[in-house]
Amino acid sequence: MTFTAAALGGLMAWRAGVFQWDLWLATVFGLMFAHATNNLLNDYTDSRRGIDKENYYRNQYGVHVLEDGLMDEPQFWRYVGVTAGIALALGGWLVYQRSGLTFDLMLAGAFFVLFYTWPLKYYGLGEPAVLLVWGPLMVGGSFYVLAGFWSWDVTWLSLVFALGPTTVLFGKHTDKLDADKAKGVNTLPVILGEKISRYAVLAMMVAQYLLCIGLVVTGSFAWPLLLVLASLNSMPRLFSLYSEPKPEEPPQNYPEGIWPLWFSAQAFRHTRRFTSLFLVGVILDTLIA
């Protein structure tokens, strides 16, 4: 996901004739190691606050490096030191090479790495943070580092991409709404309620299609971006699934290893198809341009 965001920003820079391999590679690896650091700190924060103890929702579908005993705390902090150190070193080099807004973008990224899990996620700001980070910050920021100027066309395009992971996260937080509420984790679905959250995910999916149409109508991008409309045939099924609460038990023949994820799994399936068509459309449009 992070690589794709940086690749999209790089593609836009190539389209504008300002692509540089050294800057792009430093951006890609810097963002990926920053994301790794965030994942580790996410595990640490929720573990130490008692959120991920015992059979919490998070432990039922994924690996937890501390709760599963994959490393002790000294090993954990050495690992964090490596990932964060590489991210900071690459970010510092990019600031030296490009200056301008690069330092501000690096500070914004560091803020979300450090504070996404707490307090942002605990107070309904985690989902907006993901939209901002995987959109304007990563895609727009990658473009800026390469081009040396900000592009609002790239910013709007980045939101199409960022809405994908945001729907998946929103779906996951809707799936575990009761568990989060019981633990005092006030994600946005906890604040909005289960029904509104289900329709919010659908609204974000629809927004992806509308943004693509808008970018073509305004002339920012050409017709290949409309390839995403080929995934519209999945929307009736999604509207049907999201119009009802999550079932108590997985349906028969539900893929093994996915439950208790339900809404997030449906969102991921849509995002995988939509984003594939979206990226093909952007590449074709770039080649034509």
Side-chain angles (χ1 to χ4, degrees):
M1 183 169 62
T2 296
F3 174 84
T4 305
L8 184 57
L11 180 64
M12 292 298 97
W14 184 66
R15 179 190 183 106
V18 290
F19 184 85
Q20 297 182 58
W21 275 106
D22 56 347
L23 296 179
W24 181 73
L25 288 172
T27 301
V28 169
F29 283 106
L31 289 174
M32 290 173 67
F33 276 102
H35 189 178
T37 304
N38 173 256
N39 285 347
L40 291 165
L41 294 177
N42 184 25
D43 279 358
Y44 179 82
T45 302
D46 283 344
S47 177
R48 290 300 173 266
R49 293 178 67 87
I51 301 299
D52 288 341
K53 297 295 183 185
E54 299 171 350
N55 194 35
Y56 179 62
Y57 205 98
R58 159 75 169 80
N59 301 339
Q60 296 176 38
Y61 64 84
V63 175
H64 193 299
V65 295
L66 290 172
E67 294 295 323
D68 292 341
L70 298 180
M71 61 178 69
D72 58 31
E73 194 162 320
Q75 290 173 321
F76 173 86
W77 285 114
R78 286 197 295 271
Y79 197 0
V80 171
V82 170
T83 59
I86 293 173
L88 286 171
L90 291 170
W93 183 78
L94 288 170
V95 170
Y96 174 76
Q97 292 292 321
R98 182 56 77 187
S99 67
L101 285 176
T102 308
F103 182 66
D104 302 285
L105 293 167
M106 182 179 171
L107 285 180
F111 172 82
F112 288 113
V113 166
L114 293 172
F115 300 114
Y116 164 76
T117 305
W118 189 88
L120 297 180
K121 187 175 73 173
Y122 282 64
Y123 295 97
L125 296 174
E127 296 82 7
V130 166
L131 181 64
L132 179 62
V133 168
W134 269 273
L137 190 58
M138 281 197 186
V139 180
S142 296
F143 176 85
Y144 177 86
V145 167
L146 295 169
F149 61 88
W150 191 264
S151 168
W152 287 106
D153 283 346
V154 173
T155 301
W156 285 110
L157 188 76
S158 76
L159 290 176
V160 178
F161 171 77
L163 279 167
T166 305
T167 61
V168 176
L169 180 71
F170 216 99
K172 183 176 74 172
H173 288 173
T174 304
D175 281 334
K176 64 190 188 84
L177 186 153
D178 291 335
D180 279 339
K181 189 174 183 179
K183 294 274 189 174
V185 183
N186 295 310
T187 62
L188 200 51
V190 170
I191 295 170
L192 295 176
E194 194 263 357
K195 183 176 181 179
I196 294 177
S197 298
R198 287 190 273 115
Y199 287 107
V201 175
L202 290 173
M204 286 187 283
M205 291 177 181
V206 171
Q208 288 183 286
Y209 294 98
L210 294 178
L211 276 171
C212 286
I213 293 171
L215 287 169
V216 172
V217 169
T218 57
S220 298
F221 295 88
W223 63 265
L225 207 60
L226 298 181
L227 285 175
V228 298
L229 299 180
S231 62
L232 265 177
N233 60 358
S234 64
M235 290 306 295
R237 173 179 171 274
L238 288 168
F239 268 91
S240 175
L241 288 170
Y242 276 85
S243 65
E244 301 290 339
K246 176 183 174 180
E248 295 293 331
E249 300 290 338
Q252 190 175 7
N253 300 322
Y254 194 68
E256 188 176 352
I258 296 179
W259 189 263
L261 299 179
W262 175 253
F263 292 122
S264 58
Q266 314 302 332
F268 176 79
R269 185 178 181 183
H270 173 265
T271 296
R272 181 173 57 186
R273 185 181 182 193
F274 178 95
T275 303
S276 297
L277 291 167
F278 170 70
L279 292 174
V280 169
V282 172
I283 292 170
L284 285 175
D285 185 38
T286 299
L287 293 174
I288 291 171

